[in-house]
Amino acid sequence: MLIRTKKFQISPKELRGIIAVDYYKRMKLTLIIFSVLTVVNIIISIIQKEFSWWLLYCLGFIAYILSVPLWLRLQGRTSELNFQSRYCEMDEDFFTIFFEDGSISKLRYEHFVKVIKKSEYYFLYITKVQFHYLPVAAFESEKDMHRFDLFLEGKQLIKLW
């Protein structure tokens, strides 16, 4: 199996946006629950005509959850190399990244902690917080992407079902 991707590049702003959208999707249920609790607290406060401190706690928690992506720093999570133009080659033993400046990063699949696949991209984690970004659009064909998915599933890095 040899799979080669097209060249791709992402800016820090685009990557920050992708991470923020993913975070908000994961926190959606929590935001809904706390929004409902806040509305219930407002209604109870109006009916009883007295201030509830729980309302302040709920509003503070909602503000905290909504503001977390604004504090996001990509330093430490991903290398500056990840914002250069690059392409990848995958074979049975190595995941290799060829950067525009001539640098090469060659990783064994055992070095990946986990792989997260979304509809438009892969995050290939090498630690709990550091990852390599790989867009789905970079694959030459649907067949290459499917082969890569099956290979990752075989290495138990991703679950397809």
Side-chain angles (χ1 to χ4, degrees):
M1 166 192 90
L2 179 65
I3 300 170
R4 185 174 182 185
T5 66
K6 302 178 223 172
K7 279 193 171 188
F8 62 93
Q9 183 174 9
I10 190 167
S11 71
K13 185 178 179 179
E14 291 170 324
L15 187 57
R16 187 176 291 115
I18 288 170
I19 293 170
V21 167
D22 183 55
Y23 170 80
Y24 287 133
K25 284 180 181 177
R26 286 185 286 122
M27 298 304 288
K28 182 170 61 174
L29 181 61
T30 305
L31 283 170
I32 290 170
I33 290 170
F34 273 90
S35 297
V36 168
L37 285 174
T38 303
V39 169
V40 168
N41 270 319
I42 289 171
I43 292 169
I44 291 173
S45 293
I46 291 172
I47 290 172
Q48 292 180 347
K49 295 182 182 177
E50 68 179 51
F51 180 74
S52 171
W53 284 100
W54 286 107
L55 175 63
L56 217 85
Y57 296 139
C58 287
L59 287 173
F61 188 71
I62 290 171
Y64 170 76
I65 287 180
L66 291 174
S67 66
V68 166
L70 301 176
W71 308 335
L72 181 67
R73 291 213 170 108
L74 293 176
Q75 295 83 5
R77 295 192 80 171
T78 185
S79 167
E80 286 297 318
L81 286 173
N82 282 328
F83 303 120
Q84 287 187 18
S85 180
R86 62 195 177 278
Y87 69 92
C88 302
E89 284 185 1
M90 302 90 156
D91 61 24
E92 290 83 11
D93 299 318
F94 295 101
F95 180 85
T96 310
I97 306 169
F98 296 90
F99 296 96
E100 170 179 65
D101 68 355
S103 301
I104 299 173
S105 179
K106 195 169 191 175
L107 301 164
R108 290 190 164 279
Y109 290 99
E110 293 83 35
H111 293 142
F112 292 120
V113 176
K114 67 179 174 180
V115 176
I116 294 178
K117 181 186 179 192
K118 299 291 182 176
S119 60
E120 298 175 6
Y121 57 86
Y122 292 87
F123 281 152
L124 303 140
Y125 283 86
I126 52 178
T127 67
K128 285 186 176 183
V129 293
Q130 285 186 318
F131 58 85
H132 288 285
Y133 169 80
L134 177 63
V136 167
F139 285 94
E140 294 286 342
S141 68
E142 187 83 23
K143 181 181 173 187
D144 284 347
M145 185 183 68
H146 185 65
R147 285 177 36 216
F148 185 60
D149 285 344
L150 290 174
F151 183 74
L152 290 175
E153 186 180 35
K155 293 284 187 180
Q156 296 179 345
L157 292 169
I158 195 171
K159 292 182 182 176
L160 295 177
W161 312 109

